[in-house]
Amino acid sequence: MEERQRITPSGDHKVALNALTARVGDELETLARLSTDVQRALSACGVSEGTDAQAIRELQGIDRITQSLEDLGRLMSDISAEIPKDVSLHAETILSRLRLHELIENLDPAHEKNIMPREDDGEIMWL
């Protein structure tokens, strides 16, 4: 399980808002890929075999989550391009609200991004 670590405001580290929103967009796209992986894993486990139709319909919600995350990722990336480069925030104040250390590092432009490689997104059909 991911280590939970809070950071506390301790300095004057600033983060450019356009860079932060771009990083949020990247993270949303990464989460969309993880959601696709969950769908694939459920399919590989034979979730459609012997599962009632209502449960299958509810599992289809994963696909909506995936599509929403992809859309929100693109939206955040587009928003970041519209934000003036001189607008910044106190990084510690903003990032201290997050619990996951890896997420904090992925969102902070002062750290190198840890982005999962994109794989072929084949179609998943349960119904």
Side-chain angles (χ1 to χ4, degrees):
M1 180 168 230
E2 178 66 32
E3 171 188 341
R4 291 181 181 197
Q5 174 181 340
R6 287 198 177 265
I7 58 174
T8 56
S10 62
D12 199 26
H13 173 56
K14 299 268 189 170
V15 61
L17 184 57
N18 67 328
L20 177 61
T21 54
R23 292 282 186 116
V24 170
D26 290 343
E27 192 65 25
L28 288 166
E29 290 176 9
T30 297
L31 292 172
R33 286 192 298 276
L34 288 172
S35 180
T36 297
D37 291 345
V38 168
Q39 283 182 282
R40 284 194 179 118
L42 287 169
S43 290
C45 291
V47 74
S48 63
E49 300 164 14
T51 304
D52 74 336
Q54 180 60 34
I56 294 294
R57 280 191 290 278
E58 290 170 0
L59 286 170
Q60 287 295 107
I62 297 170
D63 187 53
R64 184 176 187 295
I65 291 168
T66 302
Q67 291 179 43
S68 295
L69 288 169
E70 288 171 342
D71 282 351
L72 290 170
R74 283 190 297 272
L75 177 67
M76 290 305 293
S77 294
D78 289 347
I79 288 172
S80 74
E82 298 293 324
I83 296 173
K85 294 184 183 349
D86 61 344
V87 177
S88 63
L89 306 167
H90 292 280
E92 289 87 359
T93 303
I94 297 300
L95 298 176
S96 69
R97 292 172 171 85
L98 304 174
R99 295 180 296 171
L100 299 177
H101 182 69
E102 180 181 3
L103 181 59
I104 293 167
E105 287 192 355
N106 282 348
L107 294 182
D108 188 350
H111 293 94
E112 186 174 327
K113 284 192 256 187
N114 180 18
I115 302 228
M116 293 174 36
R118 185 158 190 103
E119 294 181 16
D120 179 30
D121 290 338
E123 185 156 339
I124 298 167
M125 297 292 292
W126 285 331
L127 295 179

